[in-house]
Amino acid sequence: MKTETLSGDPLLGDGEAPPSWWSGRWRRHIDWCTLGFCIMGGLLVGITVLAIASIASAELADPAHLLKVAASSEVIGSILLTFGAGASAVLLLILFGTPLAYVLARSRPSRLKGAVESIVDIPLILPHTVAGLLVYLLFMRRGWLGAPLSEIGIAFEDALPGTIVAMLFVASPFYVNSMREGFEKVPVHLENVARTLGAGTFTAFRTVTLPLSLRHMYSGAILAWGRAIGEFAGVIMIAYYPFIISTLIYYSFTTDGIHTSRSIAFTVILVSFGVFYLLRRMTRYLGRYDDRV
């Protein structure tokens, strides 16, 4: 039976000392569930941290060689080419993937919709070499799309357009699925209100639905861009040249060994981390649109 003590705390029993300031503060603020989740998630993050630490410890032991490799025109040009090709693929995804995601979000469930969604997801489940083979067969000089496009001067084999289409193919599910989820969260009645005020379908999409989905567009673009610039097998099947960063690391590993390729990889890790950190920080400025829904 709980009795009131001299301290006035009814939760303390007879003769039980009141908790110290530190233990009381700890008891009030600790959340065992959150703490357990943090530990479990920390194990996953720890694997990545250990992997980065292993390469960082080796590279920081020889900073002169690291700076020499990182400052070389070949590495800088390859990083810029990779980021530029990935950005081009994302721009094409925004142009063609946004309408597809809107149609999928607003169409009713059916066998056709399910089939289209499954086709969109195919690059997710295919081995990267299979994805690269599909791109090669379609865009090679004798391919269904590669042959007519080569006649007007657009070549894909061992050319930058081949790199871009390979990146676009493997990154498309990340953007389309993210945008579809964003469009599904926008209430349809908001579009209907716009139409009752005289707006057409495209005007309602442009002025109501799209602004409310900007955060998903931004997040989907970041995911697609990250997936695109990290692709190797899909790209190498159709465009070994020009060297993007993944093919440059592979070429350096097979010709110069682990030392130089490791320095290139560490440089890419640092640059990619900085770029993605800034892009993720910018996401919070787009949250106001979705918060209003």
Side-chain angles (χ1 to χ4, degrees), residues 4-253:
E4 187 172 358
T5 63
L6 294 177
S7 63
D9 190 346
L11 298 178
L12 296 177
D14 295 337
E16 186 177 352
S20 63
W21 179 86
W22 174 254
S23 61
R25 185 181 179 86
W26 173 262
R27 191 177 299 172
R28 285 197 301 271
H29 292 282
I30 193 170
D31 183 341
W32 292 106
C33 178
T34 303
L35 181 61
F37 287 173
C38 289
I39 294 174
M40 295 170 66
L43 295 176
L44 185 62
V45 176
I47 295 176
T48 304
V49 173
L50 286 176
I52 295 176
S54 65
I55 189 173
S57 61
E59 288 303 315
L60 295 179
D62 188 4
H65 181 265
L66 174 62
L67 291 176
K68 179 182 177 182
V69 172
S72 65
S73 58
E74 186 179 23
V75 172
I76 295 176
S78 181
I79 291 176
L80 294 177
L81 178 66
T82 305
F83 285 5
S88 300
V90 170
L91 289 178
L92 291 174
L93 280 175
I94 293 175
L95 181 62
F96 295 99
T98 303
L100 173 61
Y102 181 74
V103 171
L104 291 176
R106 289 293 180 259
S107 58
R108 296 178 179 177
S110 64
R111 293 180 179 177
L112 178 60
K113 179 182 177 181
V116 174
E117 289 176 336
S118 299
I119 293 174
V120 170
D121 291 335
I122 281 180
L124 286 176
I125 59 177
L126 288 178
H128 294 186
T129 49
V130 177
L133 186 60
L134 293 178
V135 173
Y136 176 74
L137 292 174
L138 187 60
F139 288 95
M140 66 179 183
R141 291 185 177 86
R142 293 178 285 108
W144 286 359
L145 295 180
L149 290 174
S150 64
E151 292 181 357
I152 60 174
I154 302 177
F156 293 88
E157 292 184 48
D158 288 334
L160 182 59
T163 302
I164 294 175
V165 295
M167 289 181 172
L168 184 147
F169 183 75
V170 299
S172 58
F174 294 89
Y175 179 78
V176 174
N177 288 331
S178 180
M179 279 305 301
R180 184 188 60 192
E181 293 176 2
F183 288 143
E184 288 175 345
K185 290 184 177 180
V186 178
V188 179
H189 68 80
L190 294 180
E191 296 179 7
N192 294 333
V193 170
R195 292 194 183 98
T196 59
L197 296 176
T201 302
F202 180 72
T203 302
F205 168 79
R206 179 176 58 83
T207 59
V208 177
T209 311
L210 192 59
L212 292 173
S213 306
L214 278 182
R215 184 165 61 180
H216 284 82
M217 173 182 282
Y218 188 73
S219 298
I222 292 176
L223 290 175
W225 188 61
R227 179 64 186 85
I229 65 176
E231 179 59 21
F232 170 67
V235 173
I236 200 174
M237 297 289 285
I238 187 171
Y240 191 79
Y241 300 102
F243 280 147
I244 61 171
I245 201 63
S246 57
T247 52
L248 178 63
I249 292 174
Y250 177 74
Y251 174 79
S252 177
F253 179 77

